[in-house]
């Protein structure tokens, strides 16, 4: 499901301070890289991916492949960085990110 412009704007704002978690080198997209991106999206929902040296069209195809393989949406692509998003299906019960700062309750 494509993201609305308001959602993209909010996600770009959240993603501004993020650093790239996964770097895709000149070797391209491998199964291990897809697994790592999938795992990172499972935990973070929103992440940056750095793309290795490739021309503009190759980067566009690579981003499309990543999004398709991980069932994610492209939020923004600038230069060698892509910001991708996948909504978490079920937040884990012990996930503190939804409760805010403070100690875990027992």
């Amino acid at each position: 499901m494509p993201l609305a412009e308001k959602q993209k704007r909010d996600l770009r704002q959240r993603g501004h301070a993020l650093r790239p978690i996964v770097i895709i080198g000149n070797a391209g997209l491998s199964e291990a890289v897809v697994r790592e991106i999938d795992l990172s999206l499972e935990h973070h929902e929103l992440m940056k991916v750095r793309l290795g040296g490739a021309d503009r069209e190759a980067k566009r195809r690579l981003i499309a492949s990543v999004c398709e393989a991980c069932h994610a949406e492209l939020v923004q692509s600038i230069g060698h960085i892509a910001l991708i998003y996948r909504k978490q299906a079920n937040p884990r019960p012990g996930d503190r990110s939804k409760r805010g700062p403070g100690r875990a309750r027992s």
Side-chain angles (χ1 to χ4, degrees):
M1 179 173 140
L3 297 169
E5 270 312 305
K6 183 176 182 335
Q7 289 175 304
K8 283 187 177 183
R9 186 176 54 239
D10 293 340
L11 290 170
R12 282 193 303 263
Q13 189 175 21
R14 281 179 41 198
H16 183 71
L18 297 178
R19 298 250 186 238
I21 295 175
V22 176
I23 299 172
I24 301 174
N26 292 335
L29 194 61
S30 68
E31 277 298 313
V33 172
V34 170
R35 277 194 310 268
E36 187 63 34
I37 293 171
D38 194 46
L39 184 63
S40 295
L41 283 170
E42 188 176 307
H43 290 283
H44 300 292
E45 274 190 336
L46 184 66
M47 67 178 285
K48 283 184 179 177
V49 177
R50 179 180 295 275
L51 308 168
D55 65 351
R56 193 174 289 183
E57 187 57 36
K59 279 188 240 180
R60 198 172 293 134
R61 286 192 306 266
L62 185 59
I63 292 168
S65 297
V66 167
C67 290
E68 183 180 332
C70 296
H71 307 290
E73 294 287 330
L74 176 66
V75 176
Q76 182 179 36
S77 175
I78 297 177
H80 294 281
I81 304 292
L83 181 65
I84 60 175
Y85 170 78
R86 181 175 71 192
K87 184 171 175 69
Q88 286 182 340
N90 302 344
R92 292 179 310 280
D95 189 7
R96 293 178 50 167
S97 63
K98 304 297 181 207
R99 278 192 262 153
R103 286 197 260 177
R105 296 182 184 120
S106 34

